[in-house]
Amino acid sequence: MSTIKAEDLSFFQEVYNTAPFGIALISLDGSWMKVNPAICRIIGYPESELLQQRFQDLIHPDDLEHNLTLYRTMLKDQADGMAETETRYIRKNGDIVWASVYGTVMLDSAGNPQAYIIQMNDITKNKMAESKLQETVERYTSLKRYNHDAVISLDLEGNIVNGNTMAEKMTGCCVNEMAGKKIARFIGEDNQRKLLMESLTNPSIEKHIDKIYHKDGHSVEVLTSIAPIYVNGKNVGFYIIAKDVTEQKQLLVAKEFAESTNKAKSEFLAVMSHEIRTPMNGVIGMTDLLETTTVLDDEQKEYVKIIRQSGETLLGIINDILDFSKVESGKTELQEELFDVRKCVEETFDVLLARAHEKKLEMNLEIQDDVPVVMIGDAKRLKQILMNLIGNAVKFTFAGGISARVRKLSERNRTIRLEFTIKDTGIGIPTSKMDYIFEPFSQVNNFMTRNHEGTGLGLAITKRLVELMGGRIWVEQDGEPGATFVFTVEMTKESWSFHEDASETMDESASSYLNILIAEDNEVNQIVLRKMLENLGHRTTIVNNGKDVVHAAQDCQYDLIFMDIQMPGLNGFDATRMIRRTLPKDQCPAIVAVTANALKGDRESCLAAGMDEYISKPVKTQAVMEVIAKLGVTGRK
């Protein structure tokens, strides 16, 4: 038997002490018999303490049974008494360390097992890297599996490698059925060629893949993204990510159809407005002239009054329908201007006072002292709201009266919130109908439909106007007879006051006359406007088409032209542009559009064509006086 030299023992001892991997001798019952420094570093115990432990006491509980079985098998099968495993150990400080362990059984000269020899490597970092990689793979797998878009991976030959659940749904093929097939089957040969040959340099290729073909033949409209797959800096394939946009395209078509329908509706309303307002101008204008310029007996006055009231009622219905259409389509815009809040409310009361007195109703108005006089807001819309609410109160009240109160709710910076309360002692509103009164075309019950004229749009318009003005409206239920409507609006406080002395302008114009050209093709409307202007002391000339109005303006100097928009030959817009273009600026008369149209944008269109002001039919004397005063046209003595 050969002997081991001393220098060899010294070499083996040096290797044992300096090896980067752990070396240990463990008894058959698991006691540590001998350990090198690397084992102590890996498990975290000094040698003296480690030798007091048992091998199995340091193994993680979840790995213990596996290790015990492994070592028993090593003892049983001594011919191949070796084993290799990866095991978690618990360090002294409580941390977990992963170790790769290689074990063998040491035999004595008689071939009997004496102990275990193990080699141990710390693989904790590798395990952590594997865990991170596994987590990344699982996250990606979940993202791909549960993505709402189809995800299909390809190799550089265009063969399908994998796909997610949505890809299966979109193509009608399971992943196993798709794998190995050419993507051309689902996107077409030409798109496959472009994808493989050009997509790395031409991102627009993905826009051409706008359909995925199902195996049954139908196609799915998609929005596609192409993502190259790189491994170690080398392109190894592509992802096709396809979003089903069938529903979005259907919505887009529906949106375009709705916009087209709304445009047709607006055009219809414009035509309807003109066609109805034009004859109404004759009815209301003639009754106005009859009442103000002729001597009538009592019976005739009564007849004229009925004609006027019927015409105004019909006009009110037309205005309601047009107003509601504009509000519903979002085309109503507030006009911000200075106005007297108290005067606005008082004028509304004054308009309805006569009707209330006919029914012997009391009318009470209270405006609290802290309500500012001058504010910035839309006076016409506020008056419209008040007219609707107070007018309804008068309409549905037969005994007692109507009271209105205005108070300031709050003031922040320059924004003021006002509260208006309109209370009546009328027929009231049934509790069951409270939820419907602000709905369009809704009236409280059938007897109101029969006994009270109207469209059922008044409160619907009122609600939307209130909301447009930053407020809300509701009905208070106080148990008393009648109905109580409350609404709030927001306005801006102005720190300075103003006074429009229109009366001085009127007085000044009354002492002089204007030379006025009337451009109107409707004979009744010609008579109405001519009589109104002549009764105000002005001189008039009438033409009935656009070309004649241009020639008249060039042949004679007029102070003012009342220009109808829709005339034969040359419309009012083109006639205005031609006059502005051909006459010197100091000889151009003021031009006022007179039109039956009353929709959003009409006034702006008239001003853009070169007109100075705009009034809508039916025309009344007061409106004519106001527009002349506003323009400040200098009269002739």
Side-chain angles (χ1 to χ4, degrees):
M1 183 177 179
S2 61
T3 59
I4 300 176
K5 298 179 181 179
E7 57 267 26
D8 292 334
L9 289 174
S10 175
F11 171 75
F12 289 135
Q13 186 65 42
E14 184 66 20
V15 171
Y16 176 79
N17 289 331
T18 61
F21 54 88
I23 304 173
L25 188 65
I26 301 173
S27 67
L28 297 178
D29 66 356
S31 298
W32 297 89
M33 299 171 62
K34 190 168 181 60
V35 295
N36 76 338
I39 279 275
C40 295
R41 287 196 305 272
I42 292 171
I43 299 182
Y45 282 89
E47 181 179 0
S48 59
E49 292 184 21
L50 188 56
L51 294 176
Q52 302 300 316
Q53 304 283 340
R54 291 200 313 162
F55 178 73
Q56 56 264 40
D57 292 338
L58 301 181
I59 297 175
H60 191 282
D62 292 346
D63 296 342
L64 180 59
E65 187 60 35
H66 169 71
N67 275 269
L68 291 177
T69 301
L70 199 65
Y71 283 93
R72 290 191 195 106
T73 304
M74 281 176 24
L75 283 176
K76 184 178 179 181
D77 189 9
Q78 294 180 13
D80 294 317
M82 56 171 289
E84 189 173 1
T85 187
E86 293 179 352
T87 301
R88 287 169 290 180
Y89 293 90
I90 302 175
R91 294 168 60 92
K92 181 179 179 180
N93 64 3
D95 290 345
I96 303 296
V97 59
W98 275 94
S100 172
V101 180
Y102 179 81
T104 58
V105 178
M106 187 177 75
L107 305 176
D108 61 12
S109 57
N112 297 315
Q114 296 294 308
Y116 298 106
I117 299 174
I118 67 168
Q119 299 175 41
M120 182 182 293
N121 279 302
D122 185 349
I123 59 170
T124 305
K125 290 183 178 179
N126 293 344
K127 280 293 183 179
M128 290 179 65
E130 285 180 15
S131 178
K132 287 283 187 184
L133 179 60
Q134 182 63 27
E135 180 184 348
T136 301
V137 170
E138 289 179 0
R139 283 177 180 272
Y140 163 74
T141 302
S142 295
L143 174 65
K144 189 174 71 169
R145 179 178 301 165
Y146 299 110
N147 201 313
H148 292 296
D149 300 336
V151 181
I152 302 173
S153 58
L154 316 172
D155 62 19
L156 291 177
E157 302 300 320
N159 300 309
I160 297 174
V161 177
N162 208 338
N164 67 349
T165 304
M166 188 55 70
E168 293 181 331
K169 180 179 178 181
M170 196 174 287
T171 61
C173 301
C174 64
V175 172
N176 292 337
E177 189 180 349
M178 283 191 286
K181 300 290 191 303
K182 293 288 186 182
I183 190 62
R185 176 178 178 181
F186 304 107
I187 65 172
E189 291 284 353
D190 189 48
N191 281 332
Q192 174 182 291
R193 181 185 59 76
K194 289 180 180 178
L195 185 156
L196 298 176
M197 301 294 293
E198 304 176 41
S199 62
L200 290 178
T201 56
N202 184 5
S204 67
I205 296 300
E206 60 189 26
K207 296 180 181 178
H208 295 282
I209 306 175
D210 56 1
K211 288 184 177 64
I212 296 288
Y213 293 94
H214 194 277
K215 71 176 183 179
D216 67 7
H218 83 269
S219 62
V220 179
E221 294 189 81
V222 295
L223 182 65
T224 302
S225 298
I226 298 173
I229 302 172
Y230 286 98
V231 176
N232 296 324
K234 183 180 179 181
N235 177 220
V236 297
F238 298 92
Y239 283 119
I240 291 180
I241 305 165
K243 177 185 288 294
D244 185 345
V245 294
T246 305
E247 185 176 346
Q248 287 90 327
K249 288 201 172 184
Q250 289 173 345
L251 290 174
L252 182 61
V253 170
K255 177 177 177 289
E256 291 174 350
F257 177 75
E259 289 175 349
S260 175
T261 302
N262 280 336
K263 182 180 179 182
K265 174 184 171 183
S266 297
E267 291 172 353
F268 169 74
L269 287 173
V271 173
M272 183 182 73
S273 170
H274 179 270
E275 294 302 322
I276 296 177
R277 283 172 179 267
T278 296
M280 286 306 302
N281 182 58
V283 174
I284 295 177
M286 279 299 186
T287 55
D288 184 58
L289 288 173
L290 279 173
E291 289 181 314
T292 58
T293 65
T294 62
V295 179
L296 304 173
D297 59 34
D298 292 341
E299 186 176 7
Q300 290 171 330
K301 287 180 181 178
E302 184 64 26
Y303 293 161
V304 172
K305 178 182 177 183
I306 292 172
I307 295 172
R308 176 176 52 78
Q309 289 177 339
S310 298
E312 289 175 348
T313 299
L314 180 56
L315 185 61
I317 293 172
I318 296 167
N319 288 337
D320 274 355
I321 295 171
L322 294 175
D323 267 351
F324 181 73
S325 298
K326 287 190 287 184
V327 173
E328 279 291 278
S329 62
K331 294 181 178 179
T332 298
E333 294 180 356
L334 298 179
Q335 301 297 320
E336 299 292 322
E337 58 185 4
L338 286 167
F339 75 102
D340 186 333
V341 176
R342 295 171 182 272
K343 184 178 179 182
C344 178
V345 180
E346 289 167 356
E347 285 178 350
T348 306
F349 242 65
D350 290 342
V351 170
L352 297 167
L353 201 58
R355 198 187 308 172
H357 285 168
E358 287 178 4
K359 301 176 72 172
K360 299 181 180 179
L361 302 176
E362 292 184 7
M363 297 281 283
N364 296 309
L365 173 61
E366 176 191 351
I367 303 177
Q368 293 187 353
D369 294 338
D370 60 351
V371 174
V373 175
V374 179
M375 301 189 72
I376 297 176
D378 194 325
K380 291 182 179 178
R381 291 303 183 186
L382 177 59
K383 189 176 290 188
Q384 184 177 354
I385 293 168
L386 292 170
M387 284 291 291
N388 278 340
L389 295 177
I390 300 174
N392 277 349
V394 173
K395 183 191 297 185
F396 299 118
T397 301
F398 305 100
I402 295 96
S403 63
R405 184 185 68 176
V406 186
R407 69 187 185 100
K408 183 173 75 172
L409 277 184
S410 62
E411 179 174 351
R412 185 175 183 181
N413 297 328
R414 290 175 59 211
T415 300
I416 293 181
R417 180 173 286 269
L418 298 179
E419 181 186 82
F420 296 77
T421 303
I422 292 89
K423 181 177 177 60
D424 64 61
T425 57
I427 61 176
I429 301 169
T431 304
S432 60
K433 303 294 183 181
M434 287 291 184
D435 295 336
Y436 308 105
I437 60 172
F438 293 110
E439 294 300 318
F441 305 106
S442 173
Q443 292 174 313
V444 175
N445 52 36
N446 290 334
F447 88 83
M448 287 176 63
T449 307
R450 295 191 188 98
N451 296 321
H452 300 278
E453 59 196 17
T455 59
L457 290 172
L459 289 179
I461 295 170
T462 297
K463 180 176 184 291
R464 284 155 177 76
L465 289 177
V466 166
E467 291 171 349
L468 197 62
M469 298 176 77
R472 65 187 189 94
I473 185 169
W474 67 95
V475 179
E476 283 191 348
Q477 298 180 352
D478 51 16
E480 297 181 6
T484 303
F485 284 84
V486 184
F487 72 93
T488 61
V489 292
E490 283 188 354
M491 295 189 183
T492 304
K493 181 181 179 182
E494 184 51 68
S495 57
W496 56 276
S497 62
F498 76 104
H499 298 282
E500 286 186 336
D501 195 355
S503 61
E504 291 183 9
T505 306
M506 294 292 185
D507 291 342
E508 184 179 340
S509 64
S511 62
S512 59
Y513 71 90
L514 298 175
N515 194 16
I516 299 175
L517 179 62
I518 299 173
E520 171 64 65
D521 63 312
N522 184 280
E523 187 176 348
V524 175
N525 291 339
Q526 290 175 358
I527 297 171
V528 169
L529 193 51
R530 178 173 61 82
K531 288 292 185 182
M532 286 180 179
L533 292 170
E534 290 179 354
N535 288 337
L536 292 173
H538 304 301
R539 295 180 183 178
T540 62
T541 302
I542 296 176
V543 292
N544 57 20
N545 63 69
K547 291 182 180 179
D548 287 348
V549 73
V550 174
H551 294 151
Q554 292 171 342
D555 294 340
C556 179
Q557 187 169 353
Y558 292 96
D559 302 304
L560 180 62
I561 299 176
F562 280 95
M563 180 83 73
D564 185 30
I565 297 302
Q566 297 184 2
M567 291 185 294
L570 195 67
N571 64 41
F573 293 127
D574 293 335
T576 298
R577 294 187 186 99
M578 191 170 293
I579 290 170
R580 295 297 190 204
R581 189 168 58 247
T582 58
L583 291 181
K585 187 174 181 180
D586 59 348
Q587 295 180 21
C588 272
I591 302 177
V592 177
V594 184
T595 175
N597 291 342
L599 299 179
K600 179 182 180 292
D602 291 332
R603 184 175 190 277
E604 290 75 8
S605 299
C606 293
L607 298 181
M611 299 179 184
D612 299 288
E613 198 43 76
Y614 165 101
I615 58 175
S616 61
K617 298 173 183 177
V619 178
K620 292 189 176 181
T621 304
Q622 184 63 31
V624 172
M625 293 171 62
E626 288 176 357
V627 76
I628 292 175
K630 183 176 181 180
L631 290 173
V633 183
T634 304
R636 309 180 186 200
K637 299 296 182 182

